Amino acid sequence: MKKLIKLIIITVLVVFCVFRFDKIYACGTWIIGLLMPFVIGFAIAFILNVPMKGFENLLFRNEKSRWYRFRRPVCMVLSLICVVLVIAFVITMLIPEVSRTITAIGQQFPSTMEAIKNWAVNLAAGYPDIVDRIMEIDIAWDKVSESAINLIKNGSGSLLSSTFNFATSVVSGIVDFVVGLFFAIYILAQKENLKRQTKGLIYALFKEKTADKIIKTCVMADETFANFITGQCLEACILGLMFFVSMSVLSIPYALTVSVTIVVTALIPVFGAFIGCGVGAFLILVDDPKKVLVFLILFIILQQVEGNLIYPHVVGGSVGLPSIWVLVAVIIGGDLMGILGMLIFVPLSSVLYALVKEFVLMRLREKGVAWEKYGEPYASSDDGWREKPRKRQQRRQSRRMKEKRSKENA
């Protein structure tokens, strides 16, 4: 009867979701918007927690010191200062150079147009047939101007509406970020109490065995995400150092600025360096156009080295995920959620990979399959695990008999 009731409830829910998908989607969007400041706060707290733990282990090792009680606020402030300094350094390095490049392009625009004009005149002198064909083209400029005016009239309302919606979304994003920042500070200040309360709630809602599995999975996810952030930052620094050294050797301009840009954009897994390549090529184009081709060739070479050697081993090794699954996770995450999906899916896939690996190992042990049949990677270092399947089955049967006898005696 319980199974039948569960089946009926699940069927009703599925039918309701199918026929009322628009309302469910609207409700989900409203809930996500309502919880967005807290989601941002959790994300900020998780990122700041990585350098904060490093400062605590570095500066406050002695628990008996009288300054130990101030470890949390001091390390939190130091972490915030480090993040702000990094952001300020990147902004002061990148924005002035980009603005200078745009100004140089604007100054060179008249000479470029003059060169195009001279090229067109020379082309017309050399190929009069092309000029005759162009002159035969008849364009109704009255209709073109009328269509442009109608487009401006009809699109002015939508333009104002789009501008208002954009401004509203920007203000809402800033408010969500500020609220999330304060929420993150409270989380970091009381993370031990929150951890204890969360564990108590999990043990209160689930059976002890199930709660143990949930907590174990959460600890694994926390360690995996922290290792991923560390590995991603290390990989970005290695790539930026490679670009700086190579560009300095080849005398390519803006070596430091382009390297810092690539370090920042390379935080996006696998594909982020291409954004830095575009910005770097744009900066080099105005100063020395001939060096752009050299820079692009250098980027292709270093990108291949980074994508096939550094990233899978540094980031993949830090999250315990094989190289091929790192690439698969980045591609799938990018298709589903864009840049955010690339950042989330690598550590998430690592957690799923560890859970699946543990499940497979457990099932193989239950079936008594010898480890020689499927290879060494899943084999345990325990000598008992290397016993023959028959001996393992005998040990399990004897253990079950003992448990049965103890229950009967009880």
Side-chain angles (χ1 to χ4, degrees):
M1 183 60 68
K2 289 183 179 180
K3 293 182 179 180
L4 182 61
I5 293 174
K6 289 180 180 179
L7 182 62
I8 293 173
I9 293 174
I10 292 173
T11 305
V12 171
L13 290 176
V14 170
V15 173
F16 179 79
C17 292
V18 170
F19 288 97
R20 298 293 183 181
F21 180 76
D22 52 345
K23 293 185 178 180
I24 294 175
Y25 179 78
C27 182
T29 305
W30 177 77
I31 293 174
I32 291 174
L34 183 64
L35 298 178
M36 185 55 65
F38 304 102
V39 174
I40 294 174
F42 274 113
I44 296 174
F46 189 85
I47 293 173
L48 290 178
N49 188 47
V50 176
M52 190 179 73
K53 289 193 297 185
F55 282 122
E56 288 180 355
N57 295 329
L58 181 64
L59 301 177
F60 297 93
R61 295 181 180 178
N62 187 10
E63 297 182 2
K64 297 180 180 180
S65 175
R66 61 177 181 177
W67 303 105
Y68 185 77
R69 57 181 177 176
F70 299 106
R71 72 189 189 283
R72 186 55 48 78
V74 172
C75 295
M76 190 188 306
V77 172
L78 289 176
S79 301
L80 288 171
I81 291 174
C82 289
V83 173
V84 171
L85 288 177
V86 169
I87 295 175
F89 175 74
V90 172
I91 291 175
T92 54
M93 284 291 297
L94 186 60
I95 292 181
E97 297 297 337
V98 173
S99 61
R100 191 190 69 82
T101 304
I102 294 174
T103 303
I105 291 175
Q107 294 175 353
Q108 295 178 4
F109 185 76
S111 60
T112 304
M113 293 302 296
E114 186 67 24
I116 294 174
K117 179 180 177 181
N118 295 331
W119 174 79
V121 170
N122 296 329
L123 181 65
Y127 301 94
D129 295 336
I130 297 177
V131 178
D132 295 337
R133 291 291 182 88
I134 294 174
M135 295 302 294
E136 291 176 359
I137 298 175
D138 187 14
I139 300 175
W141 295 105
D142 296 336
K143 294 183 178 180
V144 172
S145 60
E146 184 179 355
S147 300
I149 292 172
N150 292 330
L151 180 63
I152 294 173
K153 289 181 179 179
N154 296 327
S156 59
S158 61
L159 180 63
L160 292 175
S161 177
S162 301
T163 305
F164 178 77
N165 292 332
F166 176 75
T168 304
S169 62
V170 170
V171 173
S172 177
I174 294 174
V175 172
D176 290 344
F177 178 79
V178 173
V179 174
L181 180 60
F182 283 101
F183 186 63
I185 293 174
Y186 278 105
I187 291 175
L188 294 175
Q190 303 178 5
K191 64 177 184 178
E192 286 82 7
N193 294 332
L194 291 175
K195 183 188 292 185
R196 185 173 59 253
Q197 293 170 0
T198 304
K199 285 185 177 181
L201 181 62
I202 292 174
Y203 279 107
L205 294 177
F206 301 97
K207 296 180 180 179
E208 185 175 357
K209 188 176 181 180
T210 305
D212 290 336
K213 292 182 179 179
I214 294 174
I215 292 175
K216 181 181 178 181
T217 304
C218 293
V219 171
M220 184 191 304
D222 178 66
E223 294 177 354
T224 302
F225 274 82
N227 292 334
F228 171 72
I229 293 174
T230 305
Q232 192 69 33
C233 294
L234 178 61
E235 182 267 341
C237 293
I238 292 173
L239 184 62
L241 181 61
M242 291 169 58
F243 267 96
F244 177 74
V245 173
S246 302
M247 293 176 68
S248 300
V249 171
L250 297 175
S251 301
I252 300 176
Y254 302 111
L256 181 59
T257 304
V258 173
S259 301
V260 172
T261 306
I262 290 176
V263 168
V264 176
T265 56
L267 295 176
I268 303 171
V270 179
F271 303 107
F274 289 96
I275 303 174
C277 174
V279 177
F282 177 72
L283 294 174
I284 298 170
L285 179 64
V286 176
D287 192 84
D288 193 353
K290 296 180 181 179
K291 293 290 185 178
V292 175
L293 182 60
V294 180
F295 173 74
L296 293 177
I297 296 174
L298 175 65
F299 174 80
I300 293 173
I301 296 173
L302 295 181
Q303 181 64 21
Q304 292 298 317
V305 174
E306 183 264 348
N308 295 301
L309 296 177
I310 300 175
Y311 185 86
H313 289 85
V314 173
V315 181
S318 64
V319 298
L321 191 65
S323 304
I324 185 172
W325 297 118
V326 173
L327 300 177
V328 172
V330 169
I331 293 173
I332 295 177
D335 289 338
L336 294 178
M337 300 174 61
I339 296 176
L340 183 61
M342 294 180 184
L343 295 172
I344 293 176
F345 265 67
V346 173
L348 182 61
S349 300
S350 177
V351 175
L352 294 177
Y353 178 80
L355 294 176
V356 172
K357 181 178 178 180
E358 184 178 357
F359 172 76
V360 171
L361 181 59
M362 181 185 66
R363 293 292 296 170
L364 291 173
R365 287 182 175 178
E366 291 178 355
K367 291 185 176 182
V369 181
W371 65 271
E372 293 88 353
K373 292 185 177 181
Y374 53 86
E376 186 71 18
Y378 281 105
S380 173
S381 60
D382 187 9
D383 293 334
W385 171 234
R386 297 176 181 269
E387 293 176 356
K388 292 183 179 180
R390 184 176 299 177
K391 290 185 178 181
R392 287 196 300 273
Q393 290 178 359
Q394 292 176 356
R395 289 195 299 111
R396 280 201 302 270
Q397 289 177 0
S398 63
R399 186 169 60 250
R400 290 173 183 171
M401 291 297 294
K402 290 180 180 179
E403 291 176 356
K404 184 177 180 181
R405 289 174 184 174
S406 63
K407 289 181 180 179
E408 289 177 355
N409 294 330

